Amino acid sequence: PEGPLAGNLPGFVSRPSQRDMATRIEQAIAEHGIFIAESGTGTGKTFAYLVPALLSGRKVLISTGTKHLQDQIYFRDLPRVRDALAVPVQTALLKGRANYLCQHRLGLIGESSPDLELVRDWSRRTRSGDIGEVSGIPEDSPLWPQLTSTADNCIGTQCGSYEECFVRRARKEALEADVLVVNHHLFFADLALKVEGFGQLLPGVDAVIFDEAHQLADIASVFFGFSVSRGQLDQLVRDTVAEELREHSGVSGLRKAAGDLEKAAADFRLALGKEPRREAWGALSGKRFHDAFAQLLERLSALGELLSLAAGHGEGLASVAARAEELIDRLYLIKDGAPNEYVPWLETRTRGFQIAMTPLDVSRRFSEHLLDGERSWIFTSATLAVNGDFSHFQRQLGLADADTACWQSPFDYARQGLMYLPEGLSDPGTATYTEQVVEASLPVLEASGGRAFMLFTSYRALHIAARKLAGQLPYPVLIQGDAPRSELLERFRELGNAVLLGTASFWEGVDVRGEALSCVIIDKLPFAAPDDPVLRARARVLEEQGGNPFREMQLPQAVIALKQGVGRLIRDETDTGVLVLCDPRLLSKGYGKIFLASLPPLPRTRELAQVQEFFARSAAGAESGVVADSTG
């Protein structure tokens, strides 16, 4: 309480759990240990790992779940702790290539548009080249892939902008830093594929700290596998045309072959039908599908042959040729049959598709990296354990010998919140279930005055609920997909009485404090879709090994996902709110007890009247400055 943080950071509260966690992390760093720490919301886990990291005198790499959290740690938390401790630590922020402007590719675009002129003007002023600095152009704008590089299309030292390259400058600073902040996608891209080109970085690191570590297994599965998407093929086509215009190979038919591939990719998507789908590659059948895939492979191979002839005319065309060859190899591997350790599957979206090969298990490959050199590995998140048991997380990443510890949230849930389990709902598998969820939610939303998240386990349920709610609420209704997530959250905070309908991306990584979010409604337990091809393949292997796929895989994954969704409600000591869990299986099935035991200790009710009383007391308490007491 009398330490440098308390003395230098306004509002800092000393917590025993935070000090305990920092001590354990300090010990793990000193002993080159592997340590897994779950710390409930409000523990202050970021400071708990930053303090020992900064005081260790070691080179530390911090990896977090998203670019947003990466920026928050680097620009807000890290400087505050460093300045309070007065330690002369050099820090750096490193993102993937797709986050930095490529001046070479900007120069390839001859046309003009308001957005392009905005980027050109910014490019003359920026030091970092981080496209996140550009306000007015969304992160998901189709312009950015044309203005950023990949490992495939970067021409390296042959680039006229090599000395001023923003990616090169960021990597140089990363190598010189004592504390480096990255995100999980960048970490695994380099670890698994070496595509980010700083393979010399990890060997020089003494400690790796993963924040939001619950995401690691899924992200590792992406980067230890491979895929071919329509986006990759369309980008290959665009780059082929652009580099041919710049380097003039003179190879006859090159631009026509690029156009033929673009059409074949569009035809393949049409052959897959209008409805979005995700299924095992082996389950796909029909003459139209097989003909379209054969045509796609034929057109890609034809373009690849011409590019191999053009490759000697310039670095740009050589780079495009290498990418084409890699995509051809991937499609042939899928066509000829995946190795036993991979699951081949396909997913479609409105206009796109992705053909992927996902490893059945990432634990061996990940754990091999842990043994490669003497360094410490710290894994932390608010959601890693199932009722205090870390075995699922440890099994996923091969961390059987790791030390573990769990710290509960310091929040007073008995005073700050209430859990409502509505009565009378059917089994979630019934056709009218989502309509029943909406009906049960309407009186709660009336009592809360809006100010709610409604979280769904599928887009289908979200759209059914949106139609059902239309015209029924006197509050603004915000729907995921109508605008970028950041814009929806900003509007939600500003409105103060909105109801936001969201799916997976709103279950975690969202922080809305205060009265704007006073109710979280969850439609059902977030079990993964039983027909998911990767889940089914992994379950089959686990069963063959004598395991229980439901108990050892599906249940723990769902518990951790539910904990993330529930964690949106109470974000600090002054927040109050009601959690509505609609799924009747929480009380009717034996496994419901595991879910409930893993959640924060909120008082529980099945009476709507108690919910209404809670909000009435909260409103009265807000006027008087007193936090409501859910126990009455």
Side-chain angles (χ1 to χ4, degrees):
E2 293 79 33
L5 296 185
N8 291 279
L9 299 180
F12 177 79
V13 177
S14 178
R15 299 187 181 98
S17 56
Q18 188 182 50
R19 293 198 301 275
D20 290 346
M21 182 176 172
T23 300
R24 292 291 299 274
I25 292 174
E26 180 184 46
Q27 180 182 354
I29 292 175
E31 298 175 356
H32 304 295
I34 301 174
F35 180 50
I36 305 171
E38 178 178 283
S39 61
T41 306
T43 304
K45 62 181 169 63
T46 307
F47 282 15
Y49 64 69
L50 283 177
V51 169
L54 290 172
L55 294 176
S56 69
R58 312 265 177 103
K59 187 176 179 70
V60 179
L61 184 148
I62 298 169
S63 179
T64 191
T66 64
K67 289 181 289 185
H68 172 74
L69 288 172
Q70 191 182 358
D71 285 342
Q72 180 177 303
I73 291 169
Y74 183 75
F75 291 110
R76 191 187 72 180
D77 298 332
L78 183 52
R80 293 172 71 196
V81 176
R82 180 187 60 193
D83 294 347
L85 298 176
V87 286
V89 172
Q90 186 172 345
T91 64
L93 177 73
L94 185 63
K95 299 179 180 180
R97 285 179 175 273
N99 296 279
Y100 298 99
L101 176 71
C102 174
Q103 295 166 91
H104 166 71
R105 294 177 68 76
L106 178 62
L108 289 178
I109 299 180
E111 72 258 24
S112 182
S113 71
D115 282 353
L116 273 169
E117 290 310 309
L118 180 65
V119 173
R120 288 186 176 114
D121 179 61
W122 164 78
S123 72
R124 290 187 284 269
R125 293 180 282 106
T126 181
R127 184 190 176 279
S128 71
D130 186 338
I131 64 174
E133 295 175 356
V134 184
S135 58
I137 305 178
E139 282 187 16
D140 56 357
S141 168
L143 179 64
W144 290 127
Q146 301 175 54
L147 299 178
T148 56
S149 69
T150 67
D152 297 319
N153 63 32
C154 175
I155 58 175
T157 56
Q158 301 301 312
C159 179
S161 302
Y162 181 73
E163 292 300 324
E164 294 79 36
C165 174
F166 293 120
V167 173
R168 182 169 172 268
R169 181 183 297 166
R171 287 180 181 164
K172 182 175 183 293
E173 292 175 357
L175 288 169
E176 295 170 351
D178 303 305
V179 177
L180 173 64
V181 182
V182 302
N183 60 61
H184 299 338
H185 286 82
L186 177 60
F187 178 87
F188 279 107
D190 183 65
L191 190 69
L193 306 175
K194 304 301 179 191
V195 300
E196 290 295 339
F198 58 85
Q200 73 272 36
L201 185 65
L202 189 60
V205 169
D206 300 307
V208 179
I209 299 173
F210 292 107
D211 199 347
E212 301 296 308
H214 63 280
Q215 301 176 4
L216 290 176
D218 287 342
I219 296 173
S221 293
V222 172
F223 286 101
F224 288 146
F226 62 84
S227 65
V228 176
S229 69
R230 183 174 181 182
Q232 288 173 304
L233 296 170
D234 287 349
Q235 190 65 56
L236 180 73
V237 168
R238 287 194 294 268
D239 289 349
T240 296
V241 173
E243 295 297 351
E244 173 61 16
L245 283 170
R246 193 175 70 91
E247 296 180 341
H248 308 292
S249 74
V251 173
S252 176
L254 185 59
R255 294 182 66 176
K256 180 182 182 302
D260 289 344
L261 173 60
E262 187 174 33
K263 183 178 185 304
D267 290 344
F268 181 67
R269 174 62 190 89
L270 289 172
L272 296 169
K274 292 182 179 179
E275 292 299 316
R277 63 200 293 188
R278 179 184 170 105
E279 53 191 289
W281 182 256
L284 298 162
S285 61
K287 185 176 186 302
R288 188 183 180 196
F289 162 73
H290 288 293
D291 288 350
F293 181 70
Q295 182 84 329
L296 179 68
L297 187 50
E298 180 183 321
R299 298 298 190 199
L300 178 58
S301 299
L303 178 61
E305 288 179 13
L306 293 177
L307 281 169
S308 66
L309 297 175
H313 293 269
E315 289 292 329
L317 285 168
S319 172
V320 177
R323 284 160 60 194
E325 192 63 35
E326 176 68 21
L327 292 172
I328 292 167
D329 288 346
R330 292 179 183 184
L331 285 184
Y332 268 110
L333 186 57
I334 291 166
K335 174 180 178 290
D336 295 339
N340 291 334
E341 65 268 26
Y342 287 91
V343 184
W345 53 277
L346 177 140
E347 182 175 37
T348 64
R349 301 181 185 88
T350 307
R351 290 172 47 80
F353 63 80
Q354 179 184 31
I355 308 167
M357 298 268 271
T358 300
L360 280 165
D361 178 55
V362 298
S363 61
R364 179 186 57 80
R365 290 185 65 180
F366 184 77
S367 61
E368 284 174 355
H369 291 291
L370 269 66
L371 301 174
D372 180 19
E374 279 199 354
R375 64 179 60 89
S376 314
W377 298 84
I378 315 297
F379 303 83
T380 183
S381 170
T383 55
L384 292 175
V386 177
N387 195 17
D389 181 5
F390 290 90
S391 58
H392 172 68
F393 178 75
Q394 291 175 272
R395 191 163 50 244
Q396 284 184 307
L397 295 177
L399 305 175
D401 297 328
D403 291 329
T404 64
C406 191
W407 288 276
Q408 300 301 317
S409 169
F411 297 155
D412 187 353
Y413 286 102
R415 192 170 58 91
Q416 292 179 246
L418 180 68
M419 182 190 302
Y420 175 46
L421 308 177
E423 291 191 285
L425 293 172
S426 303
D427 183 272
T430 58
T432 61
Y433 178 74
T434 301
E435 285 89 344
Q436 294 176 44
V437 167
V438 172
E439 287 295 333
S441 301
L442 284 171
V444 177
L445 294 171
E446 181 182 353
S448 68
R451 304 185 300 154
F453 277 4
M454 295 186 72
L455 301 179
F456 298 90
T457 55
S458 70
Y459 281 102
R460 180 178 177 276
L462 181 150
H463 293 310
I464 291 172
R467 290 194 296 270
K468 178 78 172 172
L469 280 172
Q472 294 213 57
L473 290 174
Y475 315 113
V477 177
L478 307 176
I479 302 169
Q480 181 177 341
D482 287 355
R485 187 177 84 153
S486 58
E487 184 180 325
L488 287 175
L489 285 170
E490 186 177 342
R491 288 168 59 191
F492 182 86
R493 292 186 181 101
E494 289 175 351
L495 288 164
N497 66 341
V499 177
L500 189 152
L501 279 60
T503 58
S505 63
F506 283 91
W507 284 64
E508 61 176 287
V510 174
D511 189 8
V512 179
R513 303 185 183 209
E515 294 183 10
L517 179 57
S518 298
C519 182
V520 170
I521 300 170
I522 293 177
D523 70 332
K524 60 183 176 181
L525 299 176
F527 285 108
D531 58 351
D532 180 85
V534 178
L535 176 71
R536 291 177 67 176
R538 289 175 172 170
R540 185 172 60 250
V541 170
L542 185 57
E543 201 163 18
E544 289 170 356
Q545 295 171 345
N548 183 317
F550 179 76
R551 290 280 171 181
E552 297 176 40
M553 185 169 62
Q554 292 165 272
L555 180 60
Q557 287 175 358
V559 169
I560 289 170
L562 182 64
K563 288 171 68 175
Q564 280 290 332
V566 170
R568 298 315 98 209
L569 182 62
I570 305 295
R571 304 299 298 172
D572 64 27
E573 290 89 345
T574 62
D575 274 357
T576 64
V578 172
L579 170 68
V580 183
L581 297 180
C582 295
D583 198 319
R585 293 175 294 181
L586 280 164
L587 299 177
S588 65
K589 300 290 186 182
Y591 58 74
K593 296 176 183 175
I594 298 173
F595 281 98
L596 292 171
S598 298
L599 297 180
L602 291 161
R604 197 184 310 165
T605 184
R606 308 211 71 188
E607 300 295 329
L608 177 61
Q610 290 194 29
V611 174
Q612 294 165 330
E613 290 169 12
F614 178 90
F615 282 120
R617 285 196 305 274
S618 293
E623 292 179 7
S624 64
V626 177
V627 177
D629 183 349
S630 60
T631 62

